[in-house]
PDB file of all heavy atoms in Angstrom:
ATOM      1  N   SER A  54     123.759-132.864 -24.187  1.00 93.00           N
ATOM      2  CA  SER A  54     123.546-131.543 -24.773  1.00 93.00           C
ATOM      3  C   SER A  54     122.300-130.931 -24.173  1.00 93.00           C
ATOM      4  O   SER A  54     121.407-131.615 -23.586  1.00 93.00           O
ATOM      5  CB  SER A  54     123.349-131.660 -26.339  1.00 93.00           C
ATOM      6  OG  SER A  54     122.136-132.274 -26.644  1.00 93.00           O
ATOM      7  N   SER A  55     122.200-129.588 -24.298  1.00 91.00           N
ATOM      8  CA  SER A  55     121.052-128.876 -23.751  1.00 91.00           C
ATOM      9  C   SER A  55     120.732-127.685 -24.654  1.00 91.00           C
ATOM     10  O   SER A  55     121.607-127.011 -25.140  1.00 91.00           O
ATOM     11  CB  SER A  55     121.351-128.328 -22.358  1.00 91.00           C
ATOM     12  OG  SER A  55     120.193-127.581 -21.883  1.00 91.00           O
ATOM     13  N   ASP A  56     119.448-127.455 -24.875  1.00 91.00           N
ATOM     14  CA  ASP A  56     119.002-126.279 -25.660  1.00 91.00           C
ATOM     15  C   ASP A  56     118.500-125.211 -24.643  1.00 91.00           C
ATOM     16  O   ASP A  56     117.910-124.213 -25.065  1.00 91.00           O
ATOM     17  CB  ASP A  56     117.932-126.627 -26.679  1.00 91.00           C
ATOM     18  CG  ASP A  56     116.659-127.098 -26.020  1.00 91.00           C
ATOM     19  OD1 ASP A  56     116.549-127.181 -24.783  1.00 91.00           O
ATOM     20  OD2 ASP A  56     115.723-127.407 -26.802  1.00 91.00           O
ATOM     21  N   GLY A  57     118.709-125.414 -23.390  1.00 87.00           N
ATOM     22  CA  GLY A  57     118.294-124.445 -22.349  1.00 87.00           C
ATOM     23  C   GLY A  57     116.986-124.793 -21.749  1.00 87.00           C
ATOM     24  O   GLY A  57     116.466-124.032 -20.898  1.00 87.00           O
ATOM     25  N   THR A  58     116.336-125.878 -22.132  1.00 87.00           N
ATOM     26  CA  THR A  58     115.067-126.301 -21.571  1.00 87.00           C
ATOM     27  C   THR A  58     115.223-127.682 -20.905  1.00 87.00           C
ATOM     28  O   THR A  58     116.134-128.462 -21.280  1.00 87.00           O
ATOM     29  CB  THR A  58     113.979-126.367 -22.617  1.00 87.00           C
ATOM     30  OG1 THR A  58     114.251-127.498 -23.505  1.00 87.00           O
ATOM     31  CG2 THR A  58     113.823-125.108 -23.409  1.00 87.00           C
ATOM     32  N   ALA A  59     114.369-127.998 -19.988  1.00 84.00           N
ATOM     33  CA  ALA A  59     114.423-129.281 -19.311  1.00 84.00           C
ATOM     34  C   ALA A  59     114.217-130.423 -20.349  1.00 84.00           C
ATOM     35  O   ALA A  59     114.850-131.474 -20.339  1.00 84.00           O
ATOM     36  CB  ALA A  59     113.376-129.363 -18.225  1.00 84.00           C
ATOM     37  N   VAL A  60     113.189-130.214 -21.273  1.00 90.00           N
ATOM     38  CA  VAL A  60     112.943-131.262 -22.288  1.00 90.00           C
ATOM     39  C   VAL A  60     114.077-131.389 -23.258  1.00 90.00           C
ATOM     40  O   VAL A  60     114.344-132.493 -23.746  1.00 90.00           O
ATOM     41  CB  VAL A  60     111.575-130.891 -23.032  1.00 90.00           C
ATOM     42  CG1 VAL A  60     111.344-131.803 -24.204  1.00 90.00           C
ATOM     43  CG2 VAL A  60     110.442-130.939 -22.064  1.00 90.00           C
ATOM     44  N   GLY A  61     114.803-130.336 -23.550  1.00 90.00           N
ATOM     45  CA  GLY A  61     115.901-130.262 -24.512  1.00 90.00           C
ATOM     46  C   GLY A  61     117.249-130.614 -23.921  1.00 90.00           C
ATOM     47  O   GLY A  61     118.298-130.391 -24.570  1.00 90.00           O
ATOM     48  N   THR A  62     117.327-131.129 -22.675  1.00 89.00           N
ATOM     49  CA  THR A  62     118.512-131.489 -22.036  1.00 89.00           C
ATOM     50  C   THR A  62     118.594-133.010 -21.910  1.00 89.00           C
ATOM     51  O   THR A  62     117.720-133.640 -21.226  1.00 89.00           O
ATOM     52  CB  THR A  62     118.639-130.829 -20.631  1.00 89.00           C
ATOM     53  OG1 THR A  62     118.600-129.436 -20.800  1.00 89.00           O
ATOM     54  CG2 THR A  62     119.982-131.193 -19.977  1.00 89.00           C
ATOM     55  N   SER A  63     119.513-133.632 -22.605  1.00 90.00           N
ATOM     56  CA  SER A  63     119.546-135.104 -22.644  1.00 90.00           C
ATOM     57  C   SER A  63     120.875-135.673 -22.977  1.00 90.00           C
ATOM     58  O   SER A  63     121.776-134.998 -23.511  1.00 90.00           O
ATOM     59  CB  SER A  63     118.500-135.655 -23.620  1.00 90.00           C
ATOM     60  OG  SER A  63     118.803-135.186 -24.918  1.00 90.00           O
ATOM     61  N   LEU A  64     121.024-137.011 -22.704  1.00 91.00           N
ATOM     62  CA  LEU A  64     122.200-137.789 -23.129  1.00 91.00           C
ATOM     63  C   LEU A  64     122.184-137.851 -24.639  1.00 91.00           C
ATOM     64  O   LEU A  64     121.220-138.185 -25.267  1.00 91.00           O
ATOM     65  CB  LEU A  64     122.083-139.164 -22.476  1.00 91.00           C
ATOM     66  CG  LEU A  64     123.120-140.189 -22.873  1.00 91.00           C
ATOM     67  CD1 LEU A  64     124.451-139.816 -22.220  1.00 91.00           C
ATOM     68  CD2 LEU A  64     122.679-141.554 -22.358  1.00 91.00           C
ATOM     69  N   VAL A  65     123.315-137.563 -25.242  1.00 94.00           N
ATOM     70  CA  VAL A  65     123.486-137.665 -26.678  1.00 94.00           C
ATOM     71  C   VAL A  65     123.637-139.139 -27.069  1.00 94.00           C
ATOM     72  O   VAL A  65     122.957-139.686 -27.894  1.00 94.00           O
ATOM     73  CB  VAL A  65     124.626-136.824 -27.300  1.00 94.00           C
ATOM     74  CG1 VAL A  65     124.846-137.050 -28.737  1.00 94.00           C
ATOM     75  CG2 VAL A  65     124.360-135.354 -27.005  1.00 94.00           C
ATOM     76  N   SER A  66     124.640-139.819 -26.463  1.00 92.00           N
ATOM     77  CA  SER A  66     124.910-141.212 -26.749  1.00 92.00           C
ATOM     78  C   SER A  66     125.646-141.843 -25.580  1.00 92.00           C
ATOM     79  O   SER A  66     126.576-141.226 -25.050  1.00 92.00           O
ATOM     80  CB  SER A  66     125.742-141.304 -28.051  1.00 92.00           C
ATOM     81  OG  SER A  66     125.953-142.640 -28.400  1.00 92.00           O
ATOM     82  N   ASP A  67     125.307-143.085 -25.208  1.00 91.00           N
ATOM     83  CA  ASP A  67     125.984-143.798 -24.156  1.00 91.00           C
ATOM     84  C   ASP A  67     127.036-144.636 -24.817  1.00 91.00           C
ATOM     85  O   ASP A  67     126.782-145.808 -25.176  1.00 91.00           O
ATOM     86  CB  ASP A  67     124.956-144.648 -23.400  1.00 91.00           C
ATOM     87  CG  ASP A  67     125.525-145.290 -22.161  1.00 91.00           C
ATOM     88  OD1 ASP A  67     126.707-145.012 -21.867  1.00 91.00           O
ATOM     89  OD2 ASP A  67     124.819-146.034 -21.469  1.00 91.00           O
ATOM     90  N   LEU A  68     128.257-144.073 -25.005  1.00 91.00           N
ATOM     91  CA  LEU A  68     129.300-144.810 -25.789  1.00 91.00           C
ATOM     92  C   LEU A  68     129.837-145.972 -25.013  1.00 91.00           C
ATOM     93  O   LEU A  68     130.254-146.946 -25.660  1.00 91.00           O
ATOM     94  CB  LEU A  68     130.402-143.814 -26.122  1.00 91.00           C
ATOM     95  CG  LEU A  68     130.016-142.627 -26.979  1.00 91.00           C
ATOM     96  CD1 LEU A  68     131.219-141.741 -27.263  1.00 91.00           C
ATOM     97  CD2 LEU A  68     129.474-143.144 -28.329  1.00 91.00           C
ATOM     98  N   CYS A  69     129.894-145.938 -23.722  1.00 88.00           N
ATOM     99  CA  CYS A  69     130.266-147.034 -22.901  1.00 88.00           C
ATOM    100  C   CYS A  69     129.032-147.553 -22.208  1.00 88.00           C
ATOM    101  O   CYS A  69     128.583-147.005 -21.192  1.00 88.00           O
ATOM    102  CB  CYS A  69     131.342-146.638 -21.909  1.00 88.00           C
ATOM    103  SG  CYS A  69     132.066-148.038 -21.054  1.00 88.00           S
ATOM    104  N   GLN A  70     128.344-148.494 -22.830  1.00 85.00           N
ATOM    105  CA  GLN A  70     126.983-148.954 -22.416  1.00 85.00           C
ATOM    106  C   GLN A  70     126.935-149.309 -20.950  1.00 85.00           C
ATOM    107  O   GLN A  70     127.811-149.981 -20.408  1.00 85.00           O
ATOM    108  CB  GLN A  70     126.606-150.141 -23.257  1.00 85.00           C
ATOM    109  CG  GLN A  70     126.424-149.854 -24.715  1.00 85.00           C
ATOM    110  CD  GLN A  70     125.208-148.947 -24.983  1.00 85.00           C
ATOM    111  OE1 GLN A  70     124.113-149.207 -24.501  1.00 85.00           O
ATOM    112  NE2 GLN A  70     125.418-147.892 -25.742  1.00 85.00           N
ATOM    113  N   GLY A  71     125.843-148.821 -20.261  1.00 78.00           N
ATOM    114  CA  GLY A  71     125.632-149.155 -18.873  1.00 78.00           C
ATOM    115  C   GLY A  71     126.270-148.096 -17.967  1.00 78.00           C
ATOM    116  O   GLY A  71     126.437-146.945 -18.344  1.00 78.00           O
ATOM    117  N   GLY A  72     126.667-148.527 -16.780  1.00 76.00           N
ATOM    118  CA  GLY A  72     127.214-147.558 -15.787  1.00 76.00           C
ATOM    119  C   GLY A  72     128.660-147.207 -15.970  1.00 76.00           C
ATOM    120  O   GLY A  72     129.179-146.320 -15.274  1.00 76.00           O
ATOM    121  N   CYS A  73     129.378-147.811 -16.936  1.00 84.00           N
ATOM    122  CA  CYS A  73     130.716-147.444 -17.168  1.00 84.00           C
ATOM    123  C   CYS A  73     130.753-146.062 -17.897  1.00 84.00           C
ATOM    124  O   CYS A  73     129.773-145.583 -18.389  1.00 84.00           O
ATOM    125  CB  CYS A  73     131.515-148.488 -18.036  1.00 84.00           C
ATOM    126  SG  CYS A  73     130.894-148.746 -19.677  1.00 84.00           S
ATOM    127  N   SER A  74     131.894-145.434 -17.966  1.00 85.00           N
ATOM    128  CA  SER A  74     132.013-144.088 -18.529  1.00 85.00           C
ATOM    129  C   SER A  74     132.927-144.011 -19.757  1.00 85.00           C
ATOM    130  O   SER A  74     133.939-144.679 -19.759  1.00 85.00           O
ATOM    131  CB  SER A  74     132.592-143.132 -17.440  1.00 85.00           C
ATOM    132  OG  SER A  74     131.742-143.010 -16.348  1.00 85.00           O
ATOM    133  N   SER A  75     132.555-143.192 -20.719  1.00 88.00           N
ATOM    134  CA  SER A  75     133.437-142.958 -21.838  1.00 88.00           C
ATOM    135  C   SER A  75     134.286-141.685 -21.623  1.00 88.00           C
ATOM    136  O   SER A  75     135.212-141.444 -22.412  1.00 88.00           O
ATOM    137  CB  SER A  75     132.660-142.805 -23.153  1.00 88.00           C
ATOM    138  OG  SER A  75     131.915-141.619 -23.182  1.00 88.00           O
ATOM    139  N   TYR A  76     134.031-140.906 -20.600  1.00 86.00           N
ATOM    140  CA  TYR A  76     134.782-139.730 -20.184  1.00 86.00           C
ATOM    141  C   TYR A  76     135.016-138.817 -21.419  1.00 86.00           C
ATOM    142  O   TYR A  76     136.201-138.546 -21.808  1.00 86.00           O
ATOM    143  CB  TYR A  76     136.114-140.100 -19.521  1.00 86.00           C
ATOM    144  CG  TYR A  76     135.992-140.922 -18.283  1.00 86.00           C
ATOM    145  CD1 TYR A  76     136.475-142.238 -18.258  1.00 86.00           C
ATOM    146  CD2 TYR A  76     135.367-140.384 -17.210  1.00 86.00           C
ATOM    147  CE1 TYR A  76     136.351-142.965 -17.101  1.00 86.00           C
ATOM    148  CE2 TYR A  76     135.250-141.148 -16.037  1.00 86.00           C
ATOM    149  CZ  TYR A  76     135.751-142.399 -15.992  1.00 86.00           C
ATOM    150  OH  TYR A  76     135.617-143.186 -14.830  1.00 86.00           O
ATOM    151  N   PRO A  77     134.020-138.264 -22.043  1.00 90.00           N
ATOM    152  CA  PRO A  77     134.237-137.400 -23.233  1.00 90.00           C
ATOM    153  C   PRO A  77     135.037-136.135 -22.820  1.00 90.00           C
ATOM    154  O   PRO A  77     134.790-135.570 -21.782  1.00 90.00           O
ATOM    155  CB  PRO A  77     132.802-137.045 -23.683  1.00 90.00           C
ATOM    156  CG  PRO A  77     131.918-137.289 -22.501  1.00 90.00           C
ATOM    157  CD  PRO A  77     132.583-138.343 -21.690  1.00 90.00           C
ATOM    158  N   GLU A  78     135.974-135.773 -23.627  1.00 89.00           N
ATOM    159  CA  GLU A  78     136.806-134.557 -23.469  1.00 89.00           C
ATOM    160  C   GLU A  78     136.591-133.716 -24.713  1.00 89.00           C
ATOM    161  O   GLU A  78     137.129-134.053 -25.752  1.00 89.00           O
ATOM    162  CB  GLU A  78     138.247-134.903 -23.232  1.00 89.00           C
ATOM    163  CG  GLU A  78     138.458-135.699 -21.974  1.00 89.00           C
ATOM    164  CD  GLU A  78     139.971-136.057 -21.735  1.00 89.00           C
ATOM    165  OE1 GLU A  78     140.603-135.215 -21.118  1.00 89.00           O
ATOM    166  OE2 GLU A  78     140.348-137.102 -22.147  1.00 89.00           O
ATOM    167  N   LEU A  79     135.814-132.653 -24.629  1.00 92.00           N
ATOM    168  CA  LEU A  79     135.456-131.842 -25.743  1.00 92.00           C
ATOM    169  C   LEU A  79     136.662-131.037 -26.259  1.00 92.00           C
ATOM    170  O   LEU A  79     137.388-130.415 -25.498  1.00 92.00           O
ATOM    171  CB  LEU A  79     134.323-130.865 -25.402  1.00 92.00           C
ATOM    172  CG  LEU A  79     133.053-131.567 -24.879  1.00 92.00           C
ATOM    173  CD1 LEU A  79     132.026-130.588 -24.349  1.00 92.00           C
ATOM    174  CD2 LEU A  79     132.440-132.382 -26.011  1.00 92.00           C
ATOM    175  N   LEU A  80     136.853-131.049 -27.594  1.00 91.00           N
ATOM    176  CA  LEU A  80     137.915-130.384 -28.258  1.00 91.00           C
ATOM    177  C   LEU A  80     137.482-129.071 -28.963  1.00 91.00           C
ATOM    178  O   LEU A  80     138.203-128.102 -28.950  1.00 91.00           O
ATOM    179  CB  LEU A  80     138.636-131.265 -29.261  1.00 91.00           C
ATOM    180  CG  LEU A  80     139.247-132.535 -28.740  1.00 91.00           C
ATOM    181  CD1 LEU A  80     139.823-133.339 -29.843  1.00 91.00           C
ATOM    182  CD2 LEU A  80     140.356-132.201 -27.699  1.00 91.00           C
ATOM    183  N   GLY A  81     136.278-129.116 -29.587  1.00 91.00           N
ATOM    184  CA  GLY A  81     135.842-127.964 -30.309  1.00 91.00           C
ATOM    185  C   GLY A  81     134.787-128.358 -31.359  1.00 91.00           C
ATOM    186  O   GLY A  81     134.358-129.478 -31.409  1.00 91.00           O
TER     187      GLY A  81
END
Side-chain angles (χ1 to χ4, degrees):
S54 70
S55 178
D56 66 1
T58 67
V60 171
T62 301
S63 63
L64 175 71
V65 173
S66 185
D67 190 1
L68 299 179
C69 188
Q70 296 290 310
C73 64
S74 297
S75 70
Y76 301 114
E78 297 181 86
L79 300 172
L80 298 175

